[in-house]
Amino acid sequence: MGRWSRVFRCLLIFFTFAFIYIQVKLFTTQSEYADRVAAAVEAENRCMNEMRLLIDQISMHQENIVFLEEKVKRKEHECEQLRTVVQDLEKKAVGSLIREAEVPVAAVVIMACNRADYLERTIKSILKYHSSVALKFPVFVSQDGSNSDVRTMAMGYDQLTYMQHLDYEPVHMERPEELIAYYKIARHYKWALDQLFYKHNFNRVIILEDDMEISPDFFEYFEAGADLLDKDKSIMAISSWNDNGQKQFVHDPYTLYRSDFFPGLGWMLTKPTWDELSPKWPKAYWDDWLRLQENHRGRQFIRPEVCRTYNFGEHGSSLGQFFQQYLKPIKLNDIQVDWKSMNLSYLMEDKFVKYFADLVKNAKPLDGTDLVSKTNNVDGDVRIQYRDQSHFENIAHQYGIFDEWKDGIPRTAYKGVVVFRHQTLKCVFIVGPDSLQQLGIQSA
């Protein structure tokens, strides 16, 4: 009996320790599980917070997207309304012109972009002489882009019609070093001229830029030029500009020349000429493109000795190139020439070559070095023959005139001859290697 009692106590002790051990293990396991559950709950809470944050961010972005989409729609709507207003204004202005006048001589378009101060100066210069010829020369401002100052400036004048060119097509430049501005300018020119010739049906258009002042006889000059364009199809355009029109190189406001070099900077062309140019208009550098033989095809340009436009645009897409040396000193004609009373038949192709040949033939030939000094010592006109482009550039540098060539033609040249004034009255003719032959001069 005592032995079984000991065995029972031993078993009881064993089971007691076993129970305690199991309870301890169970407690430990429960503690670990509780810790894991707490960590899982914490992780779940953190994940939920992050998810809520992401949801909030997504909601904000969605709101921004919706806001931007609505803003784009509003802008498109505003542009459409503006376009409608502009079209209505164009129709009213042009319709009024058509009712009040028979056939205008030419539309005048000022090409503008983002220089409101320059545009104002140009408009004021034009309107100074415009009132008496308003029906003959309706004035337009064509703006490239949406600069609000330019639009407000242009639409503030009842005497002119506003057009707006909005171009959102990307520009693909052919060379990385090029300026994108020249591509946009070419697009704007084509659009504006298409509008004036094909939408408004003008027979002629005079192109100005937003940095030009005009002379007192600007409109009369171009009216006389319109008659020349109609009579002589070998004339491609009438220009108001002389590249060598600086004060020291000009004298006679009545003298006009034919030139193989397109001057630009205030020029007039006809609808048939635009019909030819518009389909192949270049992507950029339209003025140099017009100076290529393949485009002017031997046709010539009328230019004055004394400029009828003055370019004051020191700041612009050309970055002030040549301004101080060649543009700032330009002489703008300041007298009222009565072009209607003048006989300009000498400018017709068959007559001008003989007229100009006599001028060149009667000039005293000079050669050698120190040409300026020799010119000073001669009474009357002189002529100097150059061998090639390099030789011409050397002579041009001595006198200070433009030495630039395009497609084999010096600026202002006719039959390879460049003419300018020296010491006020005398003419200097710089003559090409085959100019005398082209002019029909047998011996001189």
Side-chain angles (χ1 to χ4, degrees):
M1 186 69 180
R3 186 172 64 86
W4 286 108
S5 178
R6 285 195 300 274
V7 171
F8 177 76
R9 283 197 299 272
C10 289
L11 289 173
L12 182 61
I13 294 170
F14 172 77
F15 284 115
T16 300
F17 280 109
F19 176 78
I20 294 171
Y21 173 77
I22 292 170
Q23 289 297 319
V24 170
K25 292 292 291 182
L26 182 61
F27 178 77
T28 302
T29 302
Q30 288 176 337
S31 297
E32 292 177 357
Y33 177 76
D35 292 340
R36 291 179 183 178
V37 169
V41 170
E42 183 181 354
E44 182 181 7
N45 291 335
R46 188 166 56 249
C47 182
M48 290 296 293
N49 290 334
E50 292 176 355
M51 187 179 298
R52 290 193 189 95
L53 181 60
L54 287 173
I55 291 172
D56 291 341
Q57 291 177 344
I58 290 171
S59 298
M60 290 176 60
H61 287 305
Q62 287 177 334
E63 290 175 1
N64 288 336
I65 291 170
V66 171
F67 172 77
L68 290 174
E69 287 176 346
E70 291 177 352
K71 188 175 181 180
V72 168
K73 290 179 181 178
R74 286 198 302 271
K75 289 295 182 183
E76 289 177 349
H77 182 64
E78 289 173 3
C79 288
E80 187 61 34
Q81 287 181 323
L82 180 59
R83 193 176 295 110
T84 301
V85 170
V86 171
Q87 289 173 351
D88 288 343
L89 288 172
E90 287 181 14
K91 290 177 182 177
K92 291 176 182 177
V94 175
S96 175
L97 289 168
I98 292 173
R99 288 192 300 271
E100 296 177 15
E102 55 286 357
V103 178
V105 174
V108 179
V109 59
I110 307 168
M111 309 297 286
C113 182
N114 57 9
R115 302 185 294 186
D117 54 340
Y118 278 16
L119 177 61
E120 182 179 24
R121 180 173 169 181
T122 298
I123 291 174
K124 287 183 176 179
S125 174
I126 291 172
L127 295 183
K128 184 177 180 181
Y129 309 110
H130 183 249
S131 59
S132 62
V133 295
L135 300 180
K136 293 181 179 180
F137 295 93
V139 179
F140 293 74
V141 170
S142 181
Q143 180 188 2
D144 186 29
S146 56
N147 182 280
S148 59
D149 292 335
V150 168
R151 183 172 62 249
T152 301
M153 174 65 62
M155 296 184 73
Y157 290 89
D158 295 333
Q159 303 95 319
L160 54 84
T161 302
Y162 173 73
M163 305 190 304
Q164 185 177 36
H165 176 232
L166 297 174
D167 181 10
Y168 300 113
E169 290 294 321
V171 174
H172 302 289
M173 294 181 291
E174 295 180 355
R175 293 179 293 275
E177 69 274 10
E178 293 177 318
L179 292 175
I180 193 173
Y182 291 114
Y183 285 81
K184 288 186 171 293
I185 289 170
R187 286 184 183 180
H188 183 204
Y189 266 74
K190 177 172 173 22
W191 179 86
L193 290 173
D194 281 345
Q195 290 284 306
L196 293 169
F197 280 123
Y198 301 140
K199 179 179 177 181
H200 298 303
N201 293 313
F202 288 106
N203 294 322
R204 306 176 197 90
V205 175
I206 299 169
I207 300 99
L208 293 172
E209 295 170 12
D210 64 352
D211 54 3
M212 291 182 176
E213 294 179 331
I214 66 171
S215 66
D217 64 338
F218 174 88
F219 294 108
E220 292 77 9
Y221 169 79
F222 275 107
E223 187 168 6
D227 187 55
L228 288 172
L229 281 176
D230 292 342
K231 291 178 179 178
D232 189 344
K233 301 308 178 185
S234 70
I235 300 174
M236 190 171 189
I238 307 293
S239 177
S240 58
W241 185 259
N242 173 14
D243 282 306
N244 291 320
Q246 295 77 23
K247 295 180 178 69
Q248 66 270 31
F249 300 132
V250 298
H251 171 72
D252 187 0
Y254 297 90
T255 296
L256 306 180
Y257 293 99
R258 292 177 75 105
S259 175
D260 296 303
F261 190 97
F262 170 65
L265 293 177
W267 56 290
M268 177 172 66
L269 78 165
T270 63
K271 187 174 182 179
T273 300
W274 184 246
D275 289 340
E276 171 194 335
L277 299 176
S278 180
K280 59 178 182 177
W281 193 250
K283 295 179 180 179
Y285 308 103
W286 64 268
D287 47 352
D288 284 342
W289 178 84
L290 275 177
R291 291 167 183 146
L292 299 177
Q293 168 66 28
E294 64 192 72
N295 296 315
H296 64 73
R297 295 188 298 147
R299 289 167 293 184
Q300 294 166 336
F301 309 90
I302 301 298
R303 68 162 182 88
E305 177 176 317
V306 182
C307 290
R308 264 59 190 184
T309 48
Y310 178 78
N311 187 300
F312 58 82
E314 183 173 4
H315 306 291
S317 58
S318 62
L319 306 179
Q321 187 182 25
F322 303 137
F323 182 81
Q324 291 296 329
Q325 183 175 0
Y326 295 115
L327 298 182
K328 188 175 181 179
I330 286 287
K331 176 177 175 55
L332 177 65
N333 177 52
D334 56 4
I335 68 169
Q336 182 67 54
V337 175
D338 182 11
W339 290 103
K340 291 182 179 179
S341 67
M342 293 186 62
N343 182 3
L344 301 180
S345 61
Y346 74 95
L347 291 165
M348 305 295 282
E349 184 178 27
D350 56 341
K351 294 183 179 180
F352 187 79
V353 66
K354 297 175 184 177
Y355 160 81
F356 194 74
D358 287 340
L359 296 177
V360 174
K361 184 177 181 179
N362 293 330
K364 182 175 181 179
L366 295 179
D367 57 16
T369 58
D370 198 13
L371 293 170
V372 175
S373 177
K374 291 178 179 178
T375 302
N376 292 338
N377 294 325
V378 172
D379 292 329
D381 300 341
V382 302
R383 74 170 186 263
I384 304 159
Q385 190 155 10
Y386 61 89
R387 297 182 298 273
D388 50 30
Q389 181 173 349
S390 177
H391 189 205
F392 172 84
E393 291 172 352
N394 178 270
I395 297 170
H397 286 163
Q398 293 184 50
Y399 289 95
I401 64 169
F402 247 117
D403 65 353
E404 187 180 23
W405 287 41
K406 295 291 182 183
D407 203 23
I409 302 174
R411 283 185 181 267
T412 77
Y414 171 74
K415 306 293 185 184
V417 180
V418 172
V419 56
F420 58 94
R421 299 279 182 174
H422 183 74
Q423 289 183 329
T424 306
L425 293 178
K426 70 180 66 176
C427 286
V428 177
F429 298 90
I430 306 181
V431 181
D434 59 350
S435 294
L436 298 182
Q437 181 181 354
Q438 291 186 57
L439 292 170
I441 301 174
Q442 301 301 323
S443 59

